[in-house]
Each structure stands twice: as structure tokens, then as C-alpha cells.
Amino acid sequence: MSRFLTLARSLFAPLLSQPTSDPPTPIISSYGQSECGVPMEVMQPIMEWLFASLLNAGYYGTPHIVWYNDAAPNPQLEKAVKDGIRRDEPTLLYRCGSSVQPPPKSYYWRLMAEHPSNRIYQLEVKDED
């Protein structure tokens, strides 16, 4: 009987889907980085931290990060935030200036105190009271 199972397994193995050894990698969609005024040497460790945080949380989808400078607001960044909401994907903001972008209605920006810069925020849904 075990010989039959071995033979059957070898015949059907090519038809069965094989699990991949490497899990998918998150691809971070980034918006506003060229207008924010933050040098690339500062951005890179932030992106690395975000990438490591996503992997640690087991998230392999597409998060969105908005680089927001209140001194030079960009209307396209509001659309990027709404795209993240529409796709139900994590949306983060890096505060390049002194204030954060106004959040969409029924949302708020939660400071991610885990990052030492105190400039990274995650978009959260407000609790209905």
C-alpha cells in the first residue's frame, strides 16, 4: 500500500501546487518624497524601519507612505491617502514640516511612537461614539 501511495504522489506531484519558499515582499508606495525636503540619507533608514516593521507584523501587501510638508502642500497627496483607504491598505504619513495633512472625515493620524523621529503617523478609523 505504501508503495502505491509513493507512486501516486510521484505521478500527481507536478499537478499539485508547490508552496513557494520565499514569502511575498511588501512594496511600499511612496508619495511626495521629491517635494518634502527630506534628504535621501534620512529617508532610507525610515523606509528600512517601515519595511522591517511590516515584515515583523506579517504584512506582505502594499502600504502607502505620504511625505507631507505643510509649507508646500500637494493636493495629490490627499488622493494618495484616499487610495490607501479605498484599498484597505495601511497608510502612513511622515511629517516633513510642523503639522500633519488633515485626515479624511472619520479618520485621524495616530503618532507611531515606536519610531524615534516622532514624525511618522498611521491613518486610523475614528471610533464612533
Side-chain angles (χ1 to χ4, degrees):
M1 181 69 161
S2 68
R3 206 173 131 184
F4 172 75
L5 290 175
T6 305
L7 177 62
R9 227 180 265 143
S10 66
L11 290 173
F12 292 115
L15 302 174
L16 301 174
S17 64
Q18 298 294 318
T20 58
S21 59
D22 296 331
T25 345
I27 297 173
I28 303 170
S29 294
S30 182
Y31 309 90
Q33 64 272 19
S34 60
E35 302 93 28
C36 73
V38 175
M40 188 55 73
E41 316 65 70
V42 174
M43 279 186 190
Q44 185 173 348
I46 292 167
M47 295 296 281
E48 289 171 358
W49 176 85
L50 178 57
F51 186 78
S53 297
L54 293 166
L55 290 178
N56 188 48
Y59 184 78
Y60 299 102
T62 303
H64 305 267
I65 185 164
V66 172
W67 302 85
Y68 181 73
N69 185 352
D70 58 337
N74 179 346
Q76 292 297 334
L77 298 181
E78 186 177 331
K79 181 185 178 308
V81 169
K82 289 181 179 176
D83 284 347
I85 292 170
R86 189 173 25 263
R87 295 179 186 150
D88 198 28
E89 296 168 333
T91 303
L92 301 117
L93 179 137
Y94 184 85
R95 179 177 47 85
C96 304
S98 59
S99 64
V100 296
Q101 174 180 341
K105 186 177 181 183
S106 302
Y107 289 85
Y108 70 98
W109 291 110
R110 179 184 63 82
L111 177 66
M112 295 186 73
E114 301 89 354
H115 193 268
S117 73
N118 286 326
R119 291 182 169 266
I120 297 180
Y121 300 81
Q122 183 168 351
L123 191 65
E124 303 279 337
V125 177
K126 280 185 183 177
D127 290 332
E128 297 297 323
D129 292 334

